[in-house]
Amino acid sequence: MARKFLYVVVVLIVLTVAAGFAFNLFGVQLTRWSMIPTAAFEPQAQVAANAYADPELWIARPDKPANPALWAPAGYYPSQSPEAAVFYIHPTSYMNRARWNAPLDDQQANATADLFLRGQATAFNEAGAIWAPRYRQATFGAFLTSKAEAEKALDLAYGDVAAAFDQFLKEAGDRPIILAGHSQGAYHLTRLLRDRIAGTPLATRIVAAYVVGWPVSKTADLPRLGLPECGAADQTRCILSWQSFAEPADPSLIFDTFDATPGLTGAARKGSALICTNPITGTPNAAAPASANLGTLVPDASLKNATLQPGRIPARCNGRGLLLIGSPPALGGYVLPGNNYHVFDYSLFWANVRADAARRLAAFRVQ
């Protein structure tokens, strides 16, 4: 099976939004115009409590044939006896503006979600067995507007994720737990932390939570998540988060909507400092040279496979809490407006994320 990566998807999105000069000038505005649904929100019933007992509702689980989460680049291998259980929530793969939520059987969205797992969730397949649910995700445009329909779409999606998480807990047994998500998946992960983990015995089983590609306000969100920001490379029961931008960075596409919403504590998010974990060092508000990057996942010319290239990408936390990676690296024409390397948040640092999970699991083991 061809192992095409999510980079293909992003370039197609960009090409449908605008081309060439017009996109460079008006990328943010055109993205909003082309992606926000104009249709009314369609209320739907919540999934049944036991819906995720059905293996068909999972993209990845330990007993899933052709599991995309078991891929690894040359020289790396998934564990044959994984110690931890990993719950991974994929980012938005539904780009259709005809609906606010993806149908569970949407073939294009599901195929794209499979690609996301190959480029992201695979970083954890040495540390743990991976469960990754399908869910009625909110469409991409829901994150570009403050319309009430967007909040309803996200609530519906979260209901699916929460039901999947409850089933995951039944199947994972008493193993240590790693939580991971990206973009919309990371947004839902913050709600899981607040609703299912904060203040419960389950918090003691969390090795780490990778809330990547979604802003986490230190003042307006973090106090409700039940786990602290990771302050050391071997700290456990803590949260990592970063958002990757080349320079000069323009995060307005993300922050305009984020700053207009209250945080999980009810406090205003506007202007607040964000968690910025440097994935190269595993520590907050840090800087690291490219030489410390163990490997960036880069697709080959055919886009059918990928290799790890060490020493290419530096990283430093800066300002409010963006992760800056220096001058725009030549990784293809898949960058979002504002030098936003959002789609590459995991793949830029794939080998370091893999090492980070192993290091924190080892520390958890001896506590």
Side-chain angles (χ1 to χ4, degrees):
M1 179 182 293
R3 299 185 176 118
K4 294 183 180 179
F5 281 76
L6 56 107
Y7 316 126
V8 181
V9 178
V10 177
V11 72
L12 292 176
I13 295 167
V14 171
L15 289 174
T16 62
V17 173
F21 183 69
F23 181 77
N24 290 332
L25 284 180
F26 307 113
V28 172
Q29 297 94 321
L30 287 170
T31 299
R32 287 197 173 98
W33 175 81
S34 66
M35 291 295 184
I36 297 173
T38 55
F41 173 76
E42 301 175 17
Q44 300 178 53
Q46 292 290 329
V47 295
N50 65 343
Y52 281 89
D54 181 358
E56 292 303 312
L57 287 185
W58 296 88
I59 308 170
R61 47 182 285 151
D63 58 352
K64 185 88 172 180
N67 186 342
L70 294 180
W71 179 86
Y76 290 80
Y77 306 92
S79 174
Q80 297 301 305
S81 55
E83 181 178 353
V86 180
F87 187 75
Y88 164 85
I89 313 168
H90 72 78
T92 307
S93 61
Y94 185 66
M95 307 297 172
N96 196 327
R97 67 193 297 246
R99 298 185 181 185
W100 284 94
N101 290 89
L104 284 172
D105 61 354
D106 187 283
Q107 292 184 357
Q108 183 174 355
N110 289 344
T112 304
D114 287 5
L115 303 183
F116 280 126
L117 262 71
R118 295 182 186 276
Q120 298 181 356
T122 54
F124 301 101
N125 65 23
E126 181 183 35
I130 298 170
W131 281 257
R134 301 197 187 281
Y135 64 100
R136 290 173 292 181
Q137 62 192 273
T139 189
F140 180 77
F143 290 91
L144 305 177
T145 179
S146 57
K147 288 184 177 181
E149 290 89 341
E151 184 174 354
K152 293 176 183 177
L154 288 166
D155 286 343
L156 178 67
Y158 174 69
D160 289 1
V161 171
F165 183 66
D166 290 341
Q167 183 65 34
F168 161 78
L169 292 177
K170 293 177 183 178
E171 299 188 17
D174 60 357
R175 287 189 273 189
I177 293 171
I178 294 173
L179 302 173
H182 184 250
S183 195
Q184 179 171 175
Y187 165 80
H188 295 310
L189 180 50
T190 64
R191 295 185 66 175
L192 275 182
L193 286 164
R194 180 193 65 183
D195 298 345
R196 294 288 202 272
I197 293 167
T200 74
L202 186 58
T204 64
R205 291 177 54 194
I206 306 301
V207 176
Y210 294 80
V211 185
V212 179
W214 181 257
V216 179
S217 167
K218 292 184 180 184
T219 55
D221 295 317
L222 185 59
R224 290 293 307 276
L225 298 184
L227 299 174
E229 174 185 6
C230 291
D234 61 353
Q235 184 177 346
T236 63
R237 303 184 180 96
C238 60
I239 295 171
L240 302 86
S241 182
W242 64 89
Q243 298 178 91
S244 309
F245 283 79
E247 299 176 73
D250 177 8
S252 58
L253 183 64
I254 304 300
F255 286 163
D256 284 355
T257 301
F258 180 79
D259 280 351
T261 59
L264 298 177
T265 66
R269 286 170 166 157
K270 187 174 182 179
S272 60
L274 309 175
I275 293 179
C276 181
T277 312
N278 188 322
I280 295 178
T281 65
T283 55
N285 307 315
S291 59
N293 189 322
L294 299 177
T296 296
L297 199 60
V298 178
D300 63 17
S302 70
L303 298 176
K304 295 180 179 180
N305 211 331
T307 58
L308 276 180
Q309 297 183 12
R312 285 194 60 179
I313 309 296
R316 62 185 176 91
C317 292
N318 183 262
R320 184 178 173 184
L322 295 182
L323 186 71
L324 301 182
I325 60 171
S327 300
L331 294 175
Y334 319 121
V335 181
L336 298 180
N339 271 333
N340 186 349
Y341 277 67
H342 179 73
V343 72
F344 302 97
D345 280 326
Y346 276 98
S347 57
L348 286 168
F349 314 104
W350 189 91
N352 288 87
V353 173
R354 191 175 186 86
D356 187 275
R359 183 176 59 245
R360 294 185 196 276
L361 180 59
F364 184 92
R365 189 183 305 125
V366 299
Q367 289 176 353

